[in-house]
Amino acid sequence: MLAAWFRVKYEHIVLGALAASAPVKMLHSDEFGFNQIIYKDFSCSADIKQALEEFYSRKDYDAMSKELGLCDSDALTDDNKNTFLATLESIFSYAAMVNYP
């Protein structure tokens, strides 16, 4: 990443740089720009977005735990819901970056 950023910033000095999976232009976008690009990689991106929005807005954690097949019905709470969402976003990000879909 640093090599690619250096090449972009000092293109008059650096002839070339090698960086694998370096989101250099991401440095100048908004904080959700990366996720928007990732979700476009999936053919069902509208469904993914809708599911994540629904998950985020719901408060019935016991029902959600049963739907997701979690072992502990108390697994989802207000405190760890964001961690769960971050984990889901990581799964989609890695799948898109390695061109899995």
Side-chain angles (χ1 to χ4, degrees):
M1 170 72 186
L2 188 57
W5 173 81
F6 193 81
R7 166 70 174 102
V8 169
K9 185 152 179 74
Y10 300 105
E11 62 185 44
H12 61 286
I13 299 172
V14 179
L15 196 56
L18 180 62
S21 298
V24 177
K25 293 185 179 183
M26 170 65 183
L27 295 173
H28 303 292
S29 70
D30 64 90
E31 63 181 299
F32 300 110
F34 182 73
N35 287 345
Q36 291 171 357
I37 293 167
I38 289 296
Y39 294 134
K40 285 181 183 177
D41 196 43
F42 294 92
S43 60
C44 56
S45 61
D47 295 333
I48 294 170
K49 184 178 179 184
Q50 180 183 357
L52 290 175
E53 287 174 355
E54 181 181 335
F55 180 82
Y56 190 71
S57 65
R58 287 179 61 177
K59 296 287 184 188
D60 54 340
Y61 298 125
D62 288 336
M64 290 170 57
S65 295
K66 288 178 186 173
E67 289 173 15
L68 294 169
L70 302 179
C71 298
D72 185 3
S73 63
D74 297 331
L76 288 176
T77 63
D78 276 333
D79 295 333
N80 66 6
K81 189 167 135 177
N82 288 335
T83 302
F84 188 80
L85 278 172
T87 303
L88 289 176
E89 288 181 356
S90 293
I91 291 168
F92 289 118
S93 297
Y94 285 111
M97 285 190 282
V98 298
N99 205 21
Y100 184 70

